Amino acid sequence: MPQINLQQAKVAVIGAGTMGIGIAQLAAMNGHQTCVFDTDAAKTKQALEQLSVQLNKRVQAGKMPQQLFDSTLANLTAADALAQLADADLIIEAIIEKKEAKQHLFQQLAEICSEQAIFASNTSSISITAIASGIPHPERVVGLHFFNPAPVMKLVEIISGLKTDSALADALSALMAAWKKVP
C-alpha cells in the first residue's frame, strides 16, 4: 500500500455496546461520517439515543459546545444491514472476543467492501495474524485497541499482524494523534 491518509475517512463501527458506541462517538466528534451497526438494530438505536442524552448533559453543564454536539450527532448514522457499510474506508469491530466471530465478520465485509477498506479489530487478546488468516487482503487487517471508556482514555494500541501493511499502522497512528489519543 502507498501512504494512506485517513483524516477524511468514512468510519463504520460494528458493535453498539459500550466500546463500540464510545469509538463511534470519538470518530463522529472528530468530523468523520460514522455509521454504527449491530446485529441487534434496537441496541444500535438505543445506544445512539443514550449517547445523545449523555452529550446533551455535557452541553447543559458547559463541558461541550453546542456546535460540537450538533456536528457529532449529524455525523452519526445507524445501519440496518452490513451491506450499508460497503463504502466505509475504516471499519472498526467491537464485537464479542471470539476469533471465529471476528474472522466471519471480516470475511463478510471482504465480500461487500473495496479491497482498500481497512478492517480494524478492537481486540485486546486475540492475535491479529490469526484474525487476518483467511481474510482476502490480510495486509489491511490491523488491531486498534481502545481502552474503556474510549472517549476518555488516551491510550490506543495499534497492533500489526504479520501481514499488516506498515503504512496502515502509520496512518492509524496519525489518525489517533489527530483524535488527541496516544497511539
Side-chain angles (χ1 to χ4, degrees):
M1 282 184 190
Q3 186 174 4
I4 304 164
N5 183 339
L6 296 173
Q7 301 306 317
Q8 302 298 316
K10 183 171 182 185
V11 176
V13 178
I14 301 175
T18 302
M19 286 305 296
I21 204 66
I23 295 166
Q25 175 189 337
L26 268 172
M29 286 180 78
N30 283 283
H32 296 268
Q33 288 296 311
T34 305
C35 192
V36 181
F37 173 78
D38 194 288
T39 53
D40 181 348
K43 184 176 184 178
T44 304
K45 183 179 182 215
Q46 181 182 22
L48 290 172
E49 288 170 358
Q50 288 175 340
L51 178 62
S52 178
V53 169
Q54 291 171 352
L55 294 180
N56 190 47
K57 286 180 184 176
R58 292 186 54 79
V59 171
Q60 299 310 314
K63 295 180 179 179
M64 179 182 212
Q66 181 71 44
Q67 182 180 358
L68 181 57
F69 172 83
D70 295 340
S71 66
T72 299
L73 292 187
N75 285 335
L76 284 167
T77 58
D80 299 326
L82 214 50
Q84 291 174 289
L85 309 180
D87 63 343
D89 302 306
L90 171 61
I91 301 173
I92 305 168
E93 68 78 12
I95 64 170
I96 189 167
E97 276 293 288
K98 293 193 179 198
K99 180 185 77 166
E100 295 77 14
K102 293 175 187 298
Q103 283 180 318
H104 180 68
L105 174 63
F106 286 163
Q107 287 166 348
Q108 288 178 291
L109 289 167
E111 291 178 14
I112 60 172
C113 297
S114 80
E115 294 177 7
Q116 289 74 40
I118 297 162
F119 299 160
S121 176
N122 188 54
T123 186
S124 60
S125 61
I126 303 170
S127 160
I128 298 304
T129 301
I131 293 171
S133 68
I135 308 297
H137 305 285
E139 67 276 4
R140 65 178 166 176
V141 179
V142 66
L144 189 62
H145 176 231
F146 292 83
F147 291 81
N148 194 19
V152 177
M153 299 299 282
K154 293 289 185 195
L155 187 64
V156 176
E157 293 178 311
I158 299 170
I159 308 107
S160 293
L162 289 176
K163 294 186 177 179
T164 304
D165 189 310
S166 61
L168 182 50
D170 293 342
L172 285 171
S173 186
L175 183 65
M176 291 303 100
W179 290 7
K180 297 176 181 58
K181 295 295 177 185
V182 178

